[in-house]
């Protein structure tokens, strides 16, 4: 879900959302909190100052859909299920244990934790959890489809028991309940039918104390938290205009943490200085992927041999080294290798940088040095990393394929690119994708599912919205079957088959999988990252 370095949703209901925009945030204060009111740049010894460059559009859980907002919600709120830092196995959070699933996979009964309090002092219970999820659906925010598409009813069936009924089985549903926007919010502070971008009253280790127009965000420790409290007194988040100013602020010691978003060369600078400056560093292979969309209706990409030739000729190692300075890893499936069920299908199908295979495919398709296959790759203008990926692909493909293939480069403003994806005007597009929830389905259904097809071309659904227009009945059925399959082993077989089918038919080409970094000052400890580009700030401590 990223174009260049900006997240993209392929569903029109998500408005092809990307990280950006502005919001105004102010939270109510729980009566049990011990607020210092300290702001960034003047933090106490036990407060943490963090710098970022991304901008907040909203912090309302029912509408937030950008990584920067979801990262903050991870620290302010709590969902029914979550992932331990660095892990991809679900574990209970506001739920006491994993759900009991019945009625053929359509009824989820979830026992809830007792002794939990919202930041405003009100008690958490099943009614409050049901209200929160109902609000998530009925407010119709950008992520509402995550529940609205498949949830039939959400009911409090006991003081501490929640029952959710689905319209049909969905193997990834429990993972959806770990999406930060599904966190519990206080019914006394939030309403169905209204968004509150300035206020989040939840149950997490921090409460929102102050916000100043994307320049400062203050989180105070929730002193009445039900579990292990935050290891610091609070977080003061400062917003910077560029990665360069963020880097300078960190190196000068005016902030304790630097996160989102530094360029690869800036990251490399800090890595090179790690030992001499004693920087603290945490890294995690990201769930974000970078890939190419191929429009199968446009010549020469309507020829399977051409799509396969491009897939075979891709030099991922060159991208890893030249563009990302070894801060990424080659990707051979739309499902990243950090997610269970991933198979290196493109490596199996073509090997890596298989130039002889690519040449043979192009020659068999009737192309020659005097009659090369010519197509155009589009990317977002003004994004240095996207521009470097595109130029590296052009140089390597044209050099390796010796006149058999030519790649023209074009760029356009990101919002225009997003809005035109389904117009059929782009032969190839460079995009990136950050998942809504960590499950193989979120790397398949939003890509290759099709709701309606005519003459073998998708005219409604994910591949249409992505600008690929690809339709294959076998692949479409496999994606639908794995969503319904509740047996883990049977589902794994379906996932393996659909990945190989995608590699064979090539509507998309996976390129690389990123690595996320966060840097801390020498006195900081406890840095960790999740696989969803988030920082569990409550684990961060600072010495004297």
């Amino acid at each position: 879900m990223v174009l260049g370095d900006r997240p993209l949703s392929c569903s029109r209901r998500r408005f092809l959302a990307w990280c950006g925009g502005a919001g105004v945030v102010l939270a109510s204060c729980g009566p049990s909190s011990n607020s210092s009111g300290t702001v960034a740049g003047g933090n106490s010894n036990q407060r943490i100052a963090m710098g970022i460059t991304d901008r907040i559009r909203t912090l309302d859980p029912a509408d937030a859909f950008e990584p920067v907002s979801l990262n903050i919600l991870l620290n302010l709120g709590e969902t029914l299920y979550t992932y331990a830092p660095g892990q991809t196995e679900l574990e209970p959070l506001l739920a006491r244990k994993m759900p009991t699933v019945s009625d053929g996979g359509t009824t989820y009964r979830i026992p809830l934790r007792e002794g939990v309090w919202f930041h405003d002092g009100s008690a958490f219970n099943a009614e409050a959890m049901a209200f929160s999820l109902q609000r998530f659906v009925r407010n119709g925010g950008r992520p509402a489809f995550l529940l609205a598409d498949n949830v039939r009813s959400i009911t409090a069936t006991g003081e501490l028991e929640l029952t959710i009924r689905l319209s049909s089985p969905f193997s990834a549903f429990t993972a959806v309940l770990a999406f930060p926007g599904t966190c519990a919010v206080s019914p006394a502070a939030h309403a169905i039918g209204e968004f509150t971008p300035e206020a989040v009253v939840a149950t997490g280790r921090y409460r929102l104390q102050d916000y100043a127009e994307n320049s400062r965000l203050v989180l105070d420790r929730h002193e009445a938290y039900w579990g292990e409290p935050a290891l610091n007194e609070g977080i003061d988040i400062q917003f910077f205009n560029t990665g360069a100013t963020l880097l300078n602020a960190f190196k000068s010691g005016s902030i304790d943490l630097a996160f989102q978003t530094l360029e690869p060369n800036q990251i490399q600078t800090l890595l090179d200085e790690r030992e001499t400056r004693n920087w603290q560093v945490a890294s995690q292979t990201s769930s974000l992927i970078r890939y190419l969309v191929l429009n199968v209706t446009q010549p020469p990409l309507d020829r399977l041999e051409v799509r396969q030739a491009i897939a075979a000729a891709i030099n991922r190692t060159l991208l890893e080294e030249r563009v990302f300075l070894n801060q990424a890893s080659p990707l051979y499936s739309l499902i990243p290798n950090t997610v269970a069920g991933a198979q290196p299908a493109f490596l199996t199908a073509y090997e890596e940088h298989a130039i002889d295979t690519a040449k043979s495919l192009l020659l068999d398709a009737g192309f020659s040095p005097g009659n090369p296959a010519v197509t155009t790759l589009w990317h977002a203008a003004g994004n240095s990393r996207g521009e470097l990926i595109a130029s590296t692909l052009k140089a390597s493909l044209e050099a390796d394929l010796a006149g058999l293939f030519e790649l023209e480069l074009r760029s356009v403003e990101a919002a225009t690119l997003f809005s035109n994806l389904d117009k059929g005007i782009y032969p190839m597009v460079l995009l990136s994708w950050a998942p809504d929830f960590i499950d193989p389905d979120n790397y398949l259904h939003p890509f290759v599912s099709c709701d309606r097809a005519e003459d073998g071309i998708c005219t409604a659904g994910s591949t249409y919205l992505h600008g690929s227009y690809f339709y294959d009945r076998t692949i479409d059925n496999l994606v639908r079957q794995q969503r319904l399959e509740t047996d883990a082993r049977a589902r794994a077989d379906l996932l393996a088959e659909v990945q190989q089918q995608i590699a064979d038919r090539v509507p998309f080409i996976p390129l690389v999988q990123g690595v996320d970094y966060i840097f801390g000052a020498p006195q900081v400890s406890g840095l960790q990252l999740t696989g969803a580009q988030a920082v569990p700030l409550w684990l961060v401590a600072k010495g004297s």
Side-chain angles (χ1 to χ4, degrees), residues 466-483:
H466 244 108
S468 172
Y469 300 94
F470 173 80
Y471 173 71
D472 181 273
R473 180 176 296 179
T474 298
I475 290 177
D476 202 55
N477 286 338
L478 285 168
V479 171
R480 296 178 191 279
Q481 289 172 35
Q482 66 82 26
R483 287 169 69 87

Side-chain angles (χ1 to χ4, degrees), residues 141-457:
R142 292 189 180 183
F145 71 94
L146 290 172
L147 295 182
D149 281 359
N150 204 33
V151 170
R152 193 175 68 195
S153 65
I154 304 167
T155 311
T157 48
E159 177 68 18
L160 292 170
E161 183 187 77
L162 186 73
T163 299
I164 302 176
R165 290 183 171 84
L166 308 183
S167 55
S168 61
F170 181 26
S171 56
F173 183 68
T174 307
V176 175
L177 297 177
F179 178 73
T182 65
C183 65
V185 296
S186 170
H190 298 271
I192 291 175
E194 297 178 8
F195 287 118
T196 55
E198 301 95 1
V200 183
V201 182
T203 65
R205 289 177 175 85
Y206 298 101
R207 63 180 183 83
L208 194 56
Q209 167 62 18
D210 188 28
Y211 179 75
E213 201 69 33
N214 274 308
S215 65
R216 185 183 69 251
L217 180 67
V218 178
L219 312 182
D220 280 356
R221 185 163 59 191
H222 180 199
E223 300 296 348
Y225 183 67
W226 60 268
E228 291 294 325
L231 297 179
N232 51 71
E233 292 179 359
I235 308 294
D236 304 313
I237 300 175
Q238 185 172 345
F239 298 82
F240 293 86
N241 290 328
T242 67
T245 56
L246 171 60
L247 178 67
N248 290 337
F250 177 73
K251 295 181 71 172
S252 69
S254 62
I255 56 175
D256 303 307
L257 305 179
F259 182 59
Q260 286 182 338
T261 304
L262 295 169
E263 293 294 329
N265 63 314
Q266 295 164 343
I267 291 172
Q268 192 60 50
T269 294
L270 293 176
L271 291 174
D272 291 343
E273 296 176 351
R274 179 178 183 178
E275 290 189 8
T276 58
R277 301 292 297 273
N278 198 27
W279 304 134
Q280 305 302 300
V281 183
S283 62
Q284 173 74 32
T285 301
S286 175
S287 56
L288 182 147
I289 65 170
R290 291 177 170 84
Y291 60 99
L292 298 175
V293 182
L294 281 68
N295 184 339
V296 301
T297 70
Q298 288 209 15
L301 300 176
D302 57 345
R303 301 284 300 276
L304 176 61
E305 301 95 329
V306 175
R307 303 199 303 271
Q308 290 176 333
I310 297 170
I314 295 292
N315 189 341
R316 293 173 178 83
T317 302
L318 184 66
L319 292 175
E320 177 187 7
E321 295 174 351
R322 182 171 298 179
V323 178
F324 296 96
L325 305 180
N326 295 310
Q327 298 162 24
S329 57
L331 184 66
Y332 298 105
S333 170
L334 292 175
I335 303 174
N337 56 31
T338 49
V339 176
Q343 300 287 331
F346 276 77
L347 184 61
T348 301
Y350 307 106
E351 299 183 348
E352 169 68 4
H353 196 207
I355 298 304
D356 289 342
T357 299
K359 289 180 178 179
S360 295
L361 285 164
L362 290 172
L363 290 169
D364 290 344
F367 296 100
S368 65
N371 177 39
V374 180
T375 191
T376 304
L377 173 61
W378 287 80
H379 61 90
N383 184 286
S384 59
R385 194 174 312 188
E387 290 170 354
L388 186 54
I389 293 172
S391 62
T392 302
L393 286 172
K394 173 181 170 64
S396 63
L397 289 171
E398 291 184 345
D400 290 335
L401 295 177
L404 292 171
F405 181 78
E406 293 181 6
L407 186 62
E408 300 174 355
L409 300 184
R410 296 286 186 274
S411 65
V412 68
E413 195 271 334
T416 301
L417 188 71
F418 291 146
S419 63
N420 285 337
L421 275 180
D422 59 358
K423 302 297 190 299
I425 61 179
Y426 302 135
M428 292 176 63
V429 187
L430 172 64
L431 297 177
S432 303
W433 175 265
D436 306 314
F437 51 92
I438 306 298
D439 185 89
D441 180 75
N442 205 231
Y443 295 92
L444 296 175
H445 190 265
F447 286 78
V448 295
S449 65
C450 182
D451 298 333
R452 183 178 66 247
E454 299 174 7
D455 299 325
I457 299 299

